[in-house]
Amino acid sequence: MKQIFYHSIYAFFRYKRKKAMLEMGGVPLSLIFGSSRLFYWRFGPGTDKNPVIFLHGLLDEGFGFRRIIKQLLNSDHDFFVFDLPGYGESRLPDFPYLFQIDVWAELLLGALSDLKINSCSIVGHSMGGLIAQHMALKDQKKIIKKLILIAPANAPHSQRDEMRSILFPKTTSEMDRLMGYLYFKETPTPPVWIKKVLIFIWNSKPNQYLEKNTLQREGEIFLGKASKSILIPTLIIAAKNDEITTLVSLKELKKILKNSNLAIIEDAKHAVHLEKPEEIAVLLKEFLEI
């Protein structure tokens, strides 16, 4: 009974989020691969030959980019905002091996091909930034022209076990701790019942599979120095106060990515895309020349 209640509440959350994206002018679309569904929002005229692709982070969905997208809507470009497999409206069959970063990178490259996108830039936050790096390395057709990596993952955290407990909260107090890692100030304080709904959703099978697979294949999933083969222009955006993907780690990533620049945003933590959307939008416009 509790599961039905939690799913019902979360369905209402999704309805409200969908309504907000529609009001912004988003067009909800999906790609079907057998029994898999990859959902995305398209913003813009639908005629852009070099669109921008957005990939969200762990425990998030495409809706998380809404504040940045609002700042970009006055351009003539198209923006494709994906829900990653197992998140939001996207679905995968209940097979554990499908919930892996490199598998998702292949799936997304296939999606770009199906959408007949021959040139694009990719914006990835956190886990989405890691997926973007995998995609760039696998991109034999050279579709991806630029990368924008916002607080991206690249190497295992120096305090892996502690970070694992922070990123996969099991109780309301653990969720409060996670919020403190995500926000520099004005930390959201949802009611206890909303926290319980989110904890239930965040600990569903897709995240369990992803966590297990990532830990088992850590050396392959976290690219580390293997990212040096990425030669396309890349902008790394770091939040100065981020303790999840730290400024130190992103300075190391800049050394690895030879064709990269590093921008540092003050007074922000890991949810920098929500805390500082205006600043990020300015950086995107300058880097992408839109």
Side-chain angles (χ1 to χ4, degrees):
M1 190 68 181
K2 184 184 292 186
Q3 291 185 0
I4 296 174
F5 171 74
Y6 286 160
H7 278 298
S8 298
I9 294 298
Y10 194 62
F12 178 71
F13 287 165
R14 290 207 305 269
Y15 164 77
K16 296 287 284 184
R17 291 174 175 181
K18 184 175 183 179
K19 183 179 179 182
M21 296 291 263
L22 287 168
E23 290 174 350
M24 286 172 54
V27 179
L29 298 164
S30 293
L31 291 171
I32 306 299
F33 304 90
S35 56
S36 303
R37 178 190 187 210
L38 192 57
F39 176 86
Y40 64 98
W41 289 96
R42 192 194 73 218
F43 293 87
T47 57
D48 187 6
K49 294 184 178 180
N50 187 29
V52 184
I53 313 300
F54 285 80
L55 306 176
H56 64 79
L58 183 71
L59 309 181
D60 203 353
E61 55 188 68
F63 180 73
F65 284 115
R66 65 196 181 280
R67 296 177 183 174
I68 295 176
I69 296 296
K70 282 183 179 180
Q71 305 296 319
L72 303 174
L73 290 179
N74 58 352
S75 75
D76 294 327
H77 285 263
D78 288 335
F79 306 100
F80 290 73
V81 186
F82 282 87
D83 282 351
L84 293 176
Y87 289 84
E89 300 292 336
S90 292
R91 297 289 180 267
L92 282 180
D94 190 19
F95 300 133
Y97 72 90
L98 291 175
F99 293 85
Q100 307 195 61
I101 298 295
D102 50 351
V103 173
W104 292 356
E106 294 278 7
L107 180 64
L108 287 160
L109 281 172
L112 297 183
S113 179
D114 285 358
L115 290 169
K116 300 186 179 351
I117 294 175
N118 299 313
S119 175
C120 69
S121 299
I122 297 184
V123 178
H125 171 251
S126 192
M127 179 178 70
L130 179 57
I131 294 171
Q133 293 171 67
H134 276 273
M135 291 175 68
L137 290 172
K138 295 174 181 292
D139 180 23
Q140 296 181 353
K141 296 181 180 180
K142 307 302 180 185
I143 294 172
I144 304 167
K145 304 305 182 184
K146 290 183 177 181
L147 292 180
I148 301 90
L149 308 177
I150 305 171
N154 176 263
H157 198 280
S158 59
Q159 299 176 2
R160 186 188 70 174
D161 291 339
E162 180 183 356
M163 196 53 55
R164 177 185 174 190
S165 68
I166 291 168
L167 295 176
F168 295 92
K170 302 293 191 295
T171 66
T172 55
S173 60
E174 289 179 354
M175 184 175 175
D176 290 339
R177 180 174 63 162
L178 172 61
M179 292 297 106
Y181 275 82
L182 294 178
Y183 295 89
F184 180 74
K185 58 182 179 180
E186 298 182 8
T187 303
T189 54
V192 171
W193 65 273
I194 291 182
K195 293 178 185 178
K196 289 183 177 179
V197 171
L198 291 174
I199 290 168
F200 172 78
I201 297 298
W202 291 348
N203 285 279
S204 60
K205 283 185 178 181
N207 275 331
Q208 292 178 22
Y209 296 153
L210 179 64
E211 178 185 10
K212 182 177 179 181
N213 291 334
T214 301
L215 290 173
Q216 288 180 343
R217 300 181 58 229
E218 189 177 80
E220 300 166 85
I221 298 302
F222 290 101
L223 292 168
K225 292 183 179 180
S227 292
K228 67 182 179 181
S229 297
I230 299 173
L231 303 177
I232 58 176
T234 300
L235 174 64
I236 305 167
I237 300 177
K240 186 174 182 180
N241 307 94
D242 193 347
E243 298 173 85
I244 296 176
T245 50
T246 65
L247 181 56
V248 171
S249 70
L250 297 187
K251 286 181 176 179
E252 286 300 313
L253 179 58
K254 183 185 182 302
K255 293 178 183 178
I256 294 170
L257 299 176
K258 299 303 181 184
N259 194 11
S260 68
N261 290 311
L262 175 64
I264 302 171
I265 295 182
E266 302 282 341
D267 298 334
K269 289 192 175 183
H270 196 63
V272 59
H273 61 308
L274 294 171
E275 290 194 288
K276 302 286 185 173
E278 295 88 356
E279 292 184 34
I280 290 180
V282 169
L283 291 170
L284 296 189
K285 289 176 181 179
E286 291 177 354
F287 183 69
L288 298 175
E289 301 178 331
I290 61 175

